[in-house]
């Protein structure tokens, strides 16, 4: 497709469960960002990749959060032992220049 | 300290009227970029308009214009001739410094715009 694709669109997890969220960026985009957006808030930066290199993970809230982009294209955000406070929309964005192109996000609900 | 401040949690505007959404920012960098995004209920962030700190003129994109006042550190979004489809959340964001593609956007808390028929 032409845009950033994220899956699943919705994910319900029981507290303590591990989840994996996928992001398929626009082909050829070097930069990839993950954001977390809590209800009623603006997106908060989690982590950044340039190709396969994770250059900034300063926004990851705990060591339960892990992201990878092994071949420099598709990225996966993994959350281990999910907690209720992890409930949010997780947005992925890719770019080659100043503009970021966002996916529709994955809405994670932890019960 | 907040990097991006949007003081209007919600705004109402009559269809076909113009509306201004406020945004102030905080940076000590000389080189930075300001962005506005629209987020409809579907959740996707849609890029609207961009202003670079060195741009002399205010950015315009169709019905969107950015009122950039550098000394006041404000970057207000003006939407002219509002349409019902403009109802959405609007986010102001900043990237600093510019020139390298690896600095993340920092977002404000957003303004919910409702257009009334």
């Amino acid at each position: 497709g032409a845009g950033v694709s994220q899956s699943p669109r919705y994910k319900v997890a029981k507290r303590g469960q591990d989840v994996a969220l996928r992001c398929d960026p626009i082909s050829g985009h070097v930069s990839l960002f993950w954001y977390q957006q809590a209800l009623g808030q603006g997106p908060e930066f989690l982590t950044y990749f340039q190709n396969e290199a994770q250059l900034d993970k300063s926004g990851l809230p705990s060591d339960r959060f892990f992201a990878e982009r092994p071949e420099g294209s598709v990225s996966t955000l993994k959350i281990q032992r999910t907690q209720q406070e992890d409930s949010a929309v997780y947005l992925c964005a890719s770019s080659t220049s100043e503009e970021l192109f966002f996916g529709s996000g994955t809405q994670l609900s932890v019960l | 300290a907040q990097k991006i401040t949007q003081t209007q949690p919600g705004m109402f505007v009559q269809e076909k009227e113009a509306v201004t959404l406020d945004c102030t920012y905080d940076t000590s960098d000389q080189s930075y970029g300001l962005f506005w995004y629209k987020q409809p209920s579907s959740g996707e962030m849609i890029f609207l308009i961009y202003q670079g700190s060195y741009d002399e003129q205010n950015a315009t994109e169709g019905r969107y214009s950015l009122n950039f006042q550098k000394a006041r550190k404000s970057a207000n979004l003006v939407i002219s001739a509002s349409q019902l489809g403009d109802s959405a959340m609007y986010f102001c964001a900043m990237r600093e410094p510019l020139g390298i593609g690896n600095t993340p956007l920092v977002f404000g808390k957003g303004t919910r715009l409702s257009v009334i028929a």
Side-chain angles (χ1 to χ4, degrees), chain B residues 8-28:
Chain B
Q8 306 152 314
M11 290 280 286
F12 289 89
V13 64
Q14 201 76 35
E15 196 179 8
K16 301 179 186 176
E17 297 291 313
V19 63
T20 298
L21 306 184
D22 294 343
C23 173
T24 56
Y25 59 92
D26 181 25
T27 181
S28 56

Side-chain angles (χ1 to χ4, degrees), chain B residues 12-56:
Chain B
F12 289 89
V13 64
Q14 201 76 35
E15 196 179 8
K16 301 179 186 176
E17 297 291 313
V19 63
T20 298
L21 306 184
D22 294 343
C23 173
T24 56
Y25 59 92
D26 181 25
T27 181
S28 56
D29 276 301
Q30 296 300 309
S31 173
Y32 53 89
L34 297 157
F35 302 75
W36 278 92
Y37 281 82
K38 173 184 178 181
Q39 189 177 43
S41 55
S42 61
E44 187 176 354
M45 298 287 280
I46 302 168
F47 167 76
L48 295 178
I49 195 166
Y50 164 78
Q51 179 89 40
S53 58
Y54 292 120
D55 293 341
E56 297 278 330

Side-chain angles (χ1 to χ4, degrees), chain B:
Chain B
Q2 286 270 342
K3 288 273 187 179
I4 297 289
T5 302
Q6 294 181 252
T7 57
Q8 306 152 314
M11 290 280 286
F12 289 89
V13 64
Q14 201 76 35
E15 196 179 8
K16 301 179 186 176
E17 297 291 313
V19 63
T20 298
L21 306 184
D22 294 343
C23 173
T24 56
Y25 59 92
D26 181 25
T27 181
S28 56
D29 276 301
Q30 296 300 309
S31 173
Y32 53 89
L34 297 157
F35 302 75
W36 278 92
Y37 281 82
K38 173 184 178 181
Q39 189 177 43
S41 55
S42 61
E44 187 176 354
M45 298 287 280
I46 302 168
F47 167 76
L48 295 178
I49 195 166
Y50 164 78
Q51 179 89 40
S53 58
Y54 292 120
D55 293 341
E56 297 278 330
Q57 298 199 333
N58 286 344
T60 61
E61 288 286 346
R63 295 187 298 110
Y64 304 107
S65 60
L66 201 152
N67 184 1
F68 181 44
Q69 298 190 38
K70 198 169 181 177
R72 294 186 177 185
K73 292 188 176 178
S74 76
N76 298 341
L77 176 70
V78 180
I79 306 174
S80 63
S82 297
Q83 302 171 357
L84 294 178
D86 294 335
S87 295
M89 283 291 290
Y90 288 80
F91 291 97
C92 180
M94 178 172 65
R95 171 177 258 172
E96 47 161 358
L98 284 182
I100 44 177
N102 61 355
T103 53
L105 283 176
V106 176
F107 287 85
K109 293 186 183 298
T111 295
R112 180 171 296 282
L113 177 66
S114 300
V115 181
I116 305 165

Side-chain angles (χ1 to χ4, degrees), chain A residues 9 35 37 41 48 98 100, chain B residues 37 39 42 95 102 105:
Chain A
R9 185 74 178 89
Y35 284 82
Q37 186 176 20
Q41 301 294 315
Y48 160 73
E98 296 307 331
L100 262 63
Chain B
Y37 281 82
Q39 189 177 43
S42 61
R95 171 177 258 172
N102 61 355
L105 283 176

Side-chain angles (χ1 to χ4, degrees), chain A residues 68-101:
Chain A
E68 61 183 5
R69 194 186 184 196
E71 297 178 2
S73 55
V74 171
S75 177
T76 303
L77 176 68
K78 297 180 180 178
I79 309 173
Q80 296 178 323
R81 304 181 304 281
T82 51
Q83 304 294 315
Q84 282 189 320
E85 61 262 28
D86 300 334
S87 296
V89 174
Y90 291 84
L91 292 165
C92 175
S94 68
S95 76
T96 56
S97 60
E98 296 307 331
E99 182 183 344
L100 262 63
F101 296 86

